[in-house]
Amino acid sequence: MTTSEKTDFRLTAEELEQFERDGYIGPIKIYEPEEMEERWNTIRRQLPDRSRAIYPDDAIGGVTNISNYDRHLDIDLLSEHIMREEIVDRVVSILGPDVLCWRTEFFPKYPGDEGTDWHQAATFANASKKPQILWPSEDGKPAFGGTITVWTAFTDSTKKNGCLQLMPGTHRHMNYDESLPMEYDPDAINKREKDGVKRGFFGYDYRQLQKDPNWKPDESKAFPLVMKRGECVIFWSTLMHASLPHTGDKKDYRMGFAARYVPTQVRVYPDTDVVSEYGGGIPLDNYGAVLVAGEDKYGHNRIATKSRTGYVFTPRRF
Protein backbone atom coordinates (compact mmCIF):
# COMPACT_ATOMS: atom_id res chain seq x y z
CA MET A 1 0.00 0.00 0.00
CA THR A 2 1.42 3.42 -0.96
CA THR A 3 1.29 6.46 1.27
CA SER A 4 -1.49 7.95 -0.86
CA GLU A 5 -3.54 4.78 -0.35
CA LYS A 6 -3.18 4.78 3.44
CA THR A 7 -6.49 4.19 5.17
CA ASP A 8 -7.62 7.01 7.44
CA PHE A 9 -9.14 5.67 10.65
CA ARG A 10 -9.78 9.05 12.27
CA LEU A 11 -13.20 9.48 13.81
CA THR A 12 -15.80 11.16 11.63
CA ALA A 13 -17.58 14.31 12.76
CA GLU A 14 -20.56 12.17 13.77
CA GLU A 15 -18.37 9.74 15.71
CA LEU A 16 -16.61 12.60 17.49
CA GLU A 17 -19.97 14.08 18.44
CA GLN A 18 -21.00 10.71 19.84
CA PHE A 19 -17.72 10.39 21.74
CA GLU A 20 -18.07 13.89 23.22
CA ARG A 21 -21.60 13.05 24.35
CA ASP A 22 -21.11 9.50 25.64
CA GLY A 23 -17.44 9.45 26.65
CA TYR A 24 -16.73 6.28 24.68
CA ILE A 25 -16.96 4.70 21.26
CA GLY A 26 -16.97 1.02 20.36
CA PRO A 27 -16.76 -1.84 19.94
CA ILE A 28 -14.37 -1.26 17.02
CA LYS A 29 -12.76 -4.14 15.15
CA ILE A 30 -8.94 -3.89 15.24
CA TYR A 31 -8.09 -7.50 14.33
CA GLU A 32 -9.98 -10.37 12.78
CA PRO A 33 -10.78 -12.92 15.52
CA GLU A 34 -8.37 -15.49 14.05
CA GLU A 35 -5.52 -12.97 13.92
CA MET A 36 -6.19 -11.86 17.49
CA GLU A 37 -6.16 -15.46 18.70
CA GLU A 38 -2.84 -16.10 16.95
CA ARG A 39 -1.28 -12.89 18.30
CA TRP A 40 -2.47 -13.55 21.85
CA ASN A 41 -1.17 -17.13 21.77
CA THR A 42 2.27 -15.75 20.84
CA ILE A 43 2.16 -12.96 23.43
CA ARG A 44 1.14 -15.20 26.31
CA ARG A 45 4.05 -17.56 25.56
CA GLN A 46 6.41 -14.56 25.77
CA LEU A 47 5.03 -13.05 28.97
CA PRO A 48 6.88 -15.36 31.41
CA ASP A 49 10.23 -14.23 29.95
CA ARG A 50 10.99 -11.06 31.91
CA SER A 51 14.65 -10.81 30.89
CA ARG A 52 13.91 -7.58 28.97
CA ALA A 53 11.00 -6.34 31.09
CA ILE A 54 11.64 -2.87 32.50
CA TYR A 55 10.37 -3.67 36.00
CA PRO A 56 12.42 -6.22 37.97
CA ASP A 57 10.58 -9.05 39.71
CA ASP A 58 12.22 -8.38 43.06
CA ALA A 59 10.84 -4.82 43.12
CA ILE A 60 7.26 -5.83 42.48
CA GLY A 61 6.72 -7.94 45.57
CA GLY A 62 4.80 -10.64 43.76
CA VAL A 63 1.85 -8.37 42.96
CA THR A 64 0.59 -9.72 39.67
CA ASN A 65 -1.55 -6.77 38.63
CA ILE A 66 1.48 -4.45 38.37
CA SER A 67 4.08 -7.04 37.35
CA ASN A 68 2.98 -6.86 33.72
CA TYR A 69 2.62 -3.10 33.37
CA ASP A 70 4.23 -1.73 30.21
CA ARG A 71 5.13 -5.02 28.55
CA HIS A 72 4.88 -3.17 25.22
CA LEU A 73 8.42 -2.06 26.01
CA ASP A 74 9.79 -5.60 25.71
CA ILE A 75 7.24 -7.58 23.65
CA ASP A 76 7.20 -6.60 19.97
CA LEU A 77 3.59 -7.57 19.27
CA LEU A 78 2.42 -5.30 22.08
CA SER A 79 4.67 -2.51 20.82
CA GLU A 80 3.05 -2.89 17.38
CA HIS A 81 -0.39 -2.90 19.00
CA ILE A 82 -0.07 0.46 20.76
CA MET A 83 1.09 2.05 17.47
CA ARG A 84 -1.48 0.37 15.25
CA GLU A 85 -3.03 2.88 12.85
CA GLU A 86 -6.57 1.71 13.59
CA ILE A 87 -6.00 2.82 17.18
CA VAL A 88 -3.65 5.80 16.89
CA ASP A 89 -5.62 7.57 14.16
CA ARG A 90 -8.74 7.49 16.30
CA VAL A 91 -6.91 8.63 19.43
CA VAL A 92 -5.26 11.50 17.53
CA SER A 93 -8.66 12.69 16.31
CA ILE A 94 -9.63 13.07 20.00
CA LEU A 95 -6.41 14.29 21.64
CA GLY A 96 -4.70 16.16 18.80
CA PRO A 97 -1.62 15.39 16.70
CA ASP A 98 1.03 14.87 19.41
CA VAL A 99 0.30 11.81 21.53
CA LEU A 100 2.08 9.58 24.05
CA CYS A 101 1.24 6.07 25.16
CA TRP A 102 2.15 6.34 28.82
CA ARG A 103 1.07 2.95 30.15
CA THR A 104 -0.27 -0.45 29.23
CA GLU A 105 -1.61 -3.18 31.47
CA PHE A 106 -3.38 -6.54 31.29
CA PHE A 107 -6.79 -7.13 32.80
CA PRO A 108 -7.37 -10.87 33.18
CA LYS A 109 -10.49 -12.35 34.70
CA TYR A 110 -10.62 -16.03 35.59
CA PRO A 111 -13.53 -18.23 36.72
CA GLY A 112 -14.76 -17.09 40.13
CA ASP A 113 -13.07 -13.67 39.96
CA GLU A 114 -15.00 -10.72 41.33
CA GLY A 115 -16.21 -7.85 39.21
CA THR A 116 -14.43 -4.51 39.34
CA ASP A 117 -15.90 -1.64 41.36
CA TRP A 118 -17.48 1.31 39.61
CA HIS A 119 -14.72 3.86 39.30
CA GLN A 120 -13.31 6.89 37.52
CA ALA A 121 -9.69 8.02 37.22
CA ALA A 122 -8.46 11.55 36.47
CA THR A 123 -4.91 11.51 37.87
CA PHE A 124 -4.53 7.76 38.62
CA ALA A 125 -3.55 8.64 42.18
CA ASN A 126 -6.33 6.37 43.46
CA ALA A 127 -4.05 3.54 44.65
CA SER A 128 -0.58 5.12 44.74
CA LYS A 129 -1.88 8.35 46.38
CA LYS A 130 0.33 10.37 44.06
CA PRO A 131 -0.79 11.76 40.69
CA GLN A 132 0.55 9.70 37.83
CA ILE A 133 -0.60 12.09 35.10
CA LEU A 134 -1.00 15.86 35.34
CA TRP A 135 -2.60 18.00 32.65
CA PRO A 136 -1.49 21.65 32.39
CA SER A 137 -3.64 24.07 34.38
CA GLU A 138 -6.37 26.04 32.65
CA ASP A 139 -6.65 29.72 33.60
CA GLY A 140 -4.73 29.01 36.78
CA LYS A 141 -7.09 26.21 37.79
CA PRO A 142 -6.22 22.49 37.79
CA ALA A 143 -7.25 20.78 34.57
CA PHE A 144 -9.94 18.11 34.72
CA GLY A 145 -7.53 15.39 33.56
CA GLY A 146 -8.00 11.81 32.55
CA THR A 147 -6.54 9.61 29.87
CA ILE A 148 -7.86 7.97 26.74
CA THR A 149 -8.02 4.25 27.40
CA VAL A 150 -8.09 1.80 24.51
CA TRP A 151 -9.28 -1.49 26.01
CA THR A 152 -8.83 -4.37 23.57
CA ALA A 153 -10.42 -7.78 24.03
CA PHE A 154 -7.63 -10.31 23.51
CA THR A 155 -10.25 -13.01 24.15
CA ASP A 156 -14.02 -12.87 23.80
CA SER A 157 -15.49 -10.67 26.53
CA THR A 158 -18.96 -11.80 27.59
CA LYS A 159 -21.45 -11.20 30.39
CA LYS A 160 -20.52 -14.55 31.92
CA ASN A 161 -16.75 -14.07 31.89
CA GLY A 162 -16.79 -10.52 33.23
CA CYS A 163 -17.14 -7.97 30.44
CA LEU A 164 -16.84 -4.23 31.00
CA GLN A 165 -19.80 -2.12 32.08
CA LEU A 166 -20.08 1.53 31.06
CA MET A 167 -22.28 4.47 32.06
CA PRO A 168 -22.57 6.73 29.00
CA GLY A 169 -22.25 10.45 29.56
CA THR A 170 -20.68 10.29 33.02
CA HIS A 171 -17.18 11.44 31.99
CA ARG A 172 -17.53 15.16 32.73
CA HIS A 173 -18.10 14.99 36.49
CA MET A 174 -15.93 13.17 39.02
CA ASN A 175 -17.85 11.34 41.74
CA TYR A 176 -14.60 10.29 43.43
CA ASP A 177 -11.74 12.16 45.09
CA GLU A 178 -8.52 10.32 44.26
CA SER A 179 -6.65 12.06 47.07
CA LEU A 180 -8.75 10.33 49.73
CA PRO A 181 -7.26 7.26 51.48
CA MET A 182 -8.21 3.73 50.47
CA GLU A 183 -7.31 0.79 52.69
CA TYR A 184 -5.48 -2.04 50.89
CA ASP A 185 -6.75 -5.43 52.03
CA PRO A 186 -5.73 -8.33 49.77
CA ASP A 187 -7.68 -10.76 51.97
CA ALA A 188 -10.90 -9.06 50.84
CA ILE A 189 -10.40 -10.00 47.17
CA ASN A 190 -13.32 -12.13 45.92
CA LYS A 191 -15.07 -11.85 49.29
CA ARG A 192 -17.19 -8.67 49.10
CA GLU A 193 -20.65 -8.15 47.67
CA LYS A 194 -22.00 -4.73 46.77
CA ASP A 195 -25.71 -4.50 46.06
CA GLY A 196 -25.75 -8.24 45.45
CA VAL A 197 -22.80 -8.27 43.02
CA LYS A 198 -19.34 -9.58 43.94
CA ARG A 199 -17.08 -6.58 43.34
CA GLY A 200 -13.76 -5.15 44.44
CA PHE A 201 -10.81 -3.11 43.21
CA PHE A 202 -7.74 -5.34 43.37
CA GLY A 203 -7.72 -5.33 47.17
CA TYR A 204 -9.25 -1.88 47.61
CA ASP A 205 -12.82 -0.66 48.03
CA TYR A 206 -13.34 2.19 45.59
CA ARG A 207 -16.37 3.41 47.54
CA GLN A 208 -13.90 4.88 50.06
CA LEU A 209 -13.07 7.58 47.48
CA GLN A 210 -16.65 8.77 47.05
CA LYS A 211 -17.02 12.51 47.52
CA ASP A 212 -20.45 11.81 49.00
CA PRO A 213 -20.34 8.63 51.11
CA ASN A 214 -24.12 8.26 50.77
CA TRP A 215 -24.09 8.42 46.97
CA LYS A 216 -24.54 5.27 44.85
CA PRO A 217 -23.89 4.79 41.14
CA ASP A 218 -27.13 4.70 39.16
CA GLU A 219 -26.75 1.28 37.58
CA SER A 220 -29.94 1.80 35.57
CA LYS A 221 -27.78 3.98 33.29
CA ALA A 222 -25.18 1.22 32.79
CA PHE A 223 -24.88 -1.49 30.17
CA PRO A 224 -22.58 -4.50 29.66
CA LEU A 225 -20.15 -4.08 26.76
CA VAL A 226 -19.83 -7.49 25.10
CA MET A 227 -16.86 -7.68 22.71
CA LYS A 228 -15.41 -10.25 20.38
CA ARG A 229 -11.68 -10.95 20.51
CA GLY A 230 -9.91 -8.38 18.35
CA GLU A 231 -12.37 -5.58 19.15
CA CYS A 232 -11.63 -2.53 21.29
CA VAL A 233 -13.47 0.24 23.07
CA ILE A 234 -12.05 3.77 23.38
CA PHE A 235 -13.13 5.76 26.43
CA TRP A 236 -12.17 8.55 28.81
CA SER A 237 -10.85 7.18 32.08
CA THR A 238 -13.21 9.63 33.80
CA LEU A 239 -16.18 7.70 32.41
CA MET A 240 -17.90 5.61 35.08
CA HIS A 241 -16.89 2.03 34.31
CA ALA A 242 -16.76 -1.34 36.04
CA SER A 243 -16.85 -5.03 35.14
CA LEU A 244 -19.05 -7.99 35.93
CA PRO A 245 -17.81 -10.98 37.97
CA HIS A 246 -16.75 -14.13 36.14
CA THR A 247 -19.59 -16.59 36.60
CA GLY A 248 -18.91 -18.69 33.51
CA ASP A 249 -17.28 -21.94 32.52
CA LYS A 250 -14.04 -23.04 34.17
CA LYS A 251 -12.33 -23.29 30.77
CA ASP A 252 -13.29 -19.74 29.83
CA TYR A 253 -11.29 -16.68 30.83
CA ARG A 254 -11.32 -13.04 29.81
CA MET A 255 -8.19 -11.15 28.86
CA GLY A 256 -8.27 -7.43 28.23
CA PHE A 257 -5.33 -5.21 27.39
CA ALA A 258 -5.51 -1.47 28.12
CA ALA A 259 -3.30 1.08 26.39
CA ARG A 260 -3.47 4.60 27.84
CA TYR A 261 -2.83 7.77 25.82
CA VAL A 262 -2.34 11.47 26.63
CA PRO A 263 -1.17 14.56 24.71
CA THR A 264 2.53 15.34 24.99
CA GLN A 265 1.91 18.38 27.22
CA VAL A 266 0.71 16.08 30.02
CA ARG A 267 3.29 15.26 32.69
CA VAL A 268 3.62 11.53 33.31
CA TYR A 269 4.71 10.30 36.77
CA PRO A 270 5.74 13.85 37.83
CA ASP A 271 8.39 13.91 40.56
CA THR A 272 8.07 10.15 40.96
CA ASP A 273 10.85 7.55 41.08
CA VAL A 274 8.83 4.55 42.31
CA VAL A 275 5.15 3.75 41.82
CA SER A 276 3.82 2.05 44.97
CA GLU A 277 0.37 0.47 44.83
CA TYR A 278 -1.52 -2.79 45.35
CA GLY A 279 0.98 -3.91 47.97
CA GLY A 280 4.00 -3.68 45.67
CA GLY A 281 6.13 -1.20 43.79
CA ILE A 282 7.85 -0.56 40.48
CA PRO A 283 10.94 1.64 39.98
CA LEU A 284 10.81 3.99 37.00
CA ASP A 285 14.56 3.88 36.25
CA ASN A 286 13.97 2.18 32.88
CA TYR A 287 10.56 3.67 32.13
CA GLY A 288 9.75 5.86 29.15
CA ALA A 289 6.55 7.00 27.47
CA VAL A 290 6.21 6.15 23.76
CA LEU A 291 5.55 8.88 21.21
CA VAL A 292 2.95 7.25 18.97
CA ALA A 293 2.06 10.32 16.88
CA GLY A 294 3.47 13.75 16.09
CA GLU A 295 6.32 15.26 18.06
CA ASP A 296 7.21 16.09 21.64
CA LYS A 297 7.52 19.88 21.83
CA TYR A 298 7.49 20.05 25.62
CA GLY A 299 10.15 17.66 26.91
CA HIS A 300 8.26 17.03 30.14
CA ASN A 301 8.65 13.26 29.96
CA ARG A 302 11.28 10.61 29.43
CA ILE A 303 10.67 9.13 25.97
CA ALA A 304 11.25 5.54 24.89
CA THR A 305 12.28 5.34 21.24
CA LYS A 306 12.08 2.06 19.36
CA SER A 307 15.33 0.61 18.00
CA ARG A 308 16.28 -2.67 16.38
CA THR A 309 17.27 -4.15 19.73
CA GLY A 310 14.46 -2.68 21.81
CA TYR A 311 13.73 0.76 23.22
CA VAL A 312 16.23 3.54 23.86
CA PHE A 313 15.28 6.01 26.60
CA THR A 314 15.85 9.74 26.23
CA PRO A 315 15.90 11.91 29.37
CA ARG A 316 13.41 14.61 30.22
CA ARG A 317 14.31 18.15 29.18
CA PHE A 318 13.90 20.72 31.93
Side-chain angles (χ1 to χ4, degrees), residues 194 245 299:
K194 298 167 185 177

Side-chain angles (χ1 to χ4, degrees), residues 197-309:
V197 179
K198 191 164 69 169
R199 292 193 193 277
F201 195 77
F202 316 106
Y204 295 95
D205 183 343
Y206 216 84
R207 294 175 301 181
Q208 294 177 336
L209 299 188
Q210 288 178 197
K211 292 179 179 179
D212 177 359
N214 298 314
W215 169 84
K216 280 188 178 183
D218 183 357
E219 298 206 35
S220 70
K221 298 179 180 178
F223 74 98
L225 185 66
V226 172
M227 290 194 285
K228 296 178 181 178
R229 60 191 183 277
E231 292 182 332
C232 81
V233 60
I234 302 173
F235 63 94
W236 277 113
S237 60
T238 55
L239 183 74
M240 288 284 293
H241 57 289
S243 70
L244 292 168
H246 193 313
T247 59
D249 189 273
K250 291 183 178 179
K251 295 181 180 178
D252 187 23
Y253 73 97
R254 187 211 77 183
M255 181 59 72
F257 183 75
R260 306 192 187 278
Y261 299 89
V262 291
T264 53
Q265 66 261 41
V266 170
R267 295 180 184 271
V268 179
Y269 296 124
D271 304 314
T272 302
D273 297 318
V274 176
V275 177
S276 299
E277 56 188 22
Y278 308 114
I282 49 176
L284 297 176
D285 305 19
N286 297 319
Y287 168 82
V290 177
L291 185 69
V292 298
E295 57 182 313
D296 176 20
K297 302 171 186 174
Y298 298 90
H300 295 324
N301 303 300
R302 194 179 190 202
I303 301 298
T305 304
K306 187 83 160 132
S307 72
R308 260 190 272 180
T309 57

Side-chain angles (χ1 to χ4, degrees), residues 129-142:
K129 305 325 310 165
K130 190 171 185 181
Q132 296 180 10
I133 55 171
L134 282 180
W135 286 65
S137 61
E138 300 172 350
D139 299 324
K141 299 179 181 178

Side-chain angles (χ1 to χ4, degrees), residues 49-80:
D49 179 6
R50 298 187 57 83
S51 59
R52 293 170 56 223
I54 65 167
Y55 305 125
D57 280 324
D58 58 359
I60 293 164
V63 183
T64 56
N65 52 313
I66 61 173
S67 64
N68 278 319
Y69 277 8
D70 299 328
R71 296 302 302 273
H72 63 281
L73 293 174
D74 70 284
I75 294 178
D76 288 342
L77 284 176
L78 295 177
S79 177
E80 291 172 16

